[in-house]
């Protein structure tokens, strides 16, 4: 059976090990008329390795809009295009959104090839009781935003990307809201110094002893006692506004389904 022909292909490339590319991806990259790539020099190394001679055109977040009309015109003229990013799957924290929207609006056929991606590579090598997870892309940088995102996702496994320069600070901020959070962290997946650590947040921070190198993907496990955590967060919010323990107990037991005495006792324990 011959492969169905599409006009536009989303093609994943390796996230570390150059051999992590599918036979179909190599075939498509050889056969299309253009490869739209984030950084032509990065992609050229891959193309040289697999003796792929296709012309590369830069397509990145700063020229996405202006390049769209070029590619639409080429596609109208019957040409085919493959989109790649520097590493992994395009559109997963990488450019592609603008062109895909325009392609679909203009009736072009688009297909996405399965392949390397840091999120799925990570999720398939860490212990998980549940299939449920939320991928938030790169975690925000500011302390306030990190706290906000961690609180909002406390009841689900939250997966994120972060840089080696920031991750230990990020983990310390997460720890300030979720003292006993369980964390899985992988660095340099599919590369020489690949490492996966899964432990409580304090042990993970200690394990790296102030220095962590390489590319990072991390998951904060869902809080098992989510209701307790939810109550702690609410109590802390009211106490930080100056409410007394008795007032906190009255407010929270009136507004939510919490027992007044339980709230009061917990409030006394919350510093
Ligand atoms: N499109 C890529 C994908 O499919 O995973 C992600 C691109 S995003 C710009 C780059 C981030 O992905 C890195 O900063 C890191 O957080 C994560 N990442 C990429 N390669 C990785 C690897 N080999 N090991 C761990 N994390 C990786």
């Amino acid at each position: 059976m011959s492969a169905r022909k599409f006009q536009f292909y989303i093609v994943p490339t390796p996230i570390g090990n150059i051999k992590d590319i599918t036979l179909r991806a190599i075939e498509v990259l050889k056969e299309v008329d253009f490869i739209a790539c984030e950084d032509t020099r990065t992609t050229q190394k891959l193309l040289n390795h697999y003796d792929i001679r296709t012309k590369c055109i830069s397509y990145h977040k700063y020229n996405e809009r202006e390049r769209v009309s070029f590619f639409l015109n080429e596609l109208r003229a019957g040409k085919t295009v493959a989109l790649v990013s520097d590493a992994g799957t395009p559109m997963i924290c990488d450019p592609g959104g603008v062109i895909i929207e325009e392609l679909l609006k203009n009736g072009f056929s688009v297909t996405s090839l399965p392949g390397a991606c840091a999120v799925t590579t990570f999720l398939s090598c860490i212990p998980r009781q549940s299939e449920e997870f939320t991928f938030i892309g790169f975690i925000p940088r500011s302390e306030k935003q990190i706290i906000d995102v961690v609180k909002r996702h406390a009841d689900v496994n939250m997966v994120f990307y972060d840089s080696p320069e920031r991750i230990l600070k990020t983990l310390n901020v997460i720890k300030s809201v979720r003292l006993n959070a369980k964390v899985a962290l992988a660095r340099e997946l599919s590369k020489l110094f690949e490492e996966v650590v899964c432990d409580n947040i304090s042990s993970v921070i200690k394990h790296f002893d102030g220095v962590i190198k390489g590319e990072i993907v991390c998951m904060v496990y869902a809080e098992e006692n989510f209701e307790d955590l939810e109550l702690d967060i609410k109590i802390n919010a009211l106490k930080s506004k100056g409410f007394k323990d008795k007032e906190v107990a009255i407010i929270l037991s009136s507004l939510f389904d919490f027992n007044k005495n339980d709230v009061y006792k917990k409030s006394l324990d919350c510093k």
Side-chain angles (χ1 to χ4, degrees):
M1 191 177 78
S2 65
R4 202 179 140 198
K5 293 277 178 221
F6 293 89
Q7 291 156 295
F8 196 93
Y9 296 83
I10 317 289
V11 180
T13 55
I15 56 166
N17 188 321
I18 199 155
K19 292 182 185 160
D20 290 332
I21 184 162
T22 67
L23 297 175
R24 184 176 171 214
I26 295 170
E27 193 177 279
V28 165
L29 292 177
K30 280 187 175 165
E31 285 178 2
V32 289
D33 296 292
F34 299 106
I35 300 173
C37 47
E38 260 191 293
D39 182 333
T40 50
R41 285 161 306 177
T42 304
T43 301
Q44 198 56 57
K45 287 183 201 149
L46 178 77
L47 301 188
N48 291 345
H49 186 87
Y50 288 102
D51 195 24
I52 299 167
R53 314 268 168 90
T54 310
K55 188 173 166 52
C56 287
I57 310 257
S58 80
Y59 174 86
H60 45 70
K61 62 179 175 185
Y62 302 107
N63 71 3
E64 257 187 309
R65 296 217 167 262
E66 69 190 66
R67 280 286 194 257
V68 165
S69 52
F70 168 81
F71 286 120
L72 286 180
N73 285 337
E74 294 297 332
L75 293 167
R76 283 190 189 107
K79 298 283 185 346
T80 53
V81 179
L83 172 70
V84 300
S85 59
D86 284 351
T89 301
M91 292 283 289
I92 305 297
C93 291
D94 274 334
V98 175
I99 193 155
I100 290 172
E101 196 175 339
E102 287 303 317
L103 290 167
L104 296 181
K105 254 194 236 162
N106 285 276
F108 290 106
S109 60
V110 177
T111 190
S112 169
L113 273 57
C117 175
V119 181
T120 48
T121 307
F122 171 63
L123 285 172
S124 52
C125 74
I126 56 164
R128 280 183 301 130
Q129 307 294 322
S130 144
E131 288 295 340
E132 211 179 337
F133 70 93
T134 297
F135 175 57
I136 61 161
F138 279 94
I139 194 160
R141 294 178 181 204
S142 87
E143 191 170 328
K144 188 178 169 308
Q145 286 173 316
I146 296 172
I147 290 175
D148 181 53
V149 89
V150 170
K151 283 181 181 172
R152 275 194 287 120
H153 295 99
D155 61 340
V156 70
N157 295 323
M158 184 185 82
V159 183
F160 62 91
Y161 289 158
D162 202 1
S163 75
E165 294 78 30
R166 282 191 299 274
I167 183 69
L168 291 174
K169 180 188 161 237
T170 302
L171 290 177
N172 276 302
V173 175
I174 295 171
K175 191 178 151 187
S176 72
V177 203
R178 298 219 15 221
L179 186 62
N180 297 311
K182 185 176 167 191
V183 165
L185 186 151
R187 64 183 191 99
E188 298 287 85
L189 287 167
S190 78
K191 301 187 202 178
L192 190 59
F193 295 105
E194 169 172 324
E195 183 179 18
V196 183
V197 183
C198 184
D199 210 328
N200 72 56
I201 193 159
S202 302
S203 305
V204 172
I205 294 170
K206 201 166 160 213
H207 173 84
F208 290 105
D209 195 23
V211 189
I212 181 164
K213 290 186 179 156
E215 299 202 88
I216 314 285
V217 50
C218 187
M219 182 170 98
V220 183
Y221 284 79
E223 179 63 52
E224 280 174 12
N225 298 315
F226 179 63
E227 301 229 320
D228 280 359
L229 180 76
E230 220 188 348
L231 182 55
D232 284 353
I233 290 171
K234 288 186 167 61
I235 292 174
N236 281 327
L238 289 174
K239 289 186 75 159
S240 72
K241 298 259 177 316
F243 288 96
K244 303 275 177 287
D245 297 312
K246 274 190 184 158
E247 294 166 332
V248 169
I250 293 168
I251 295 169
L252 293 182
S253 60
S254 312
L255 291 177
F256 305 97
D257 192 19
F258 294 125
N259 176 284
K260 194 163 99 185
N261 287 337
D262 291 348
V263 179
Y264 180 67
K265 278 187 210 146
K266 233 177 187 298
S267 183
L268 289 174
D269 292 340
C270 287
K271 299 281 170 284

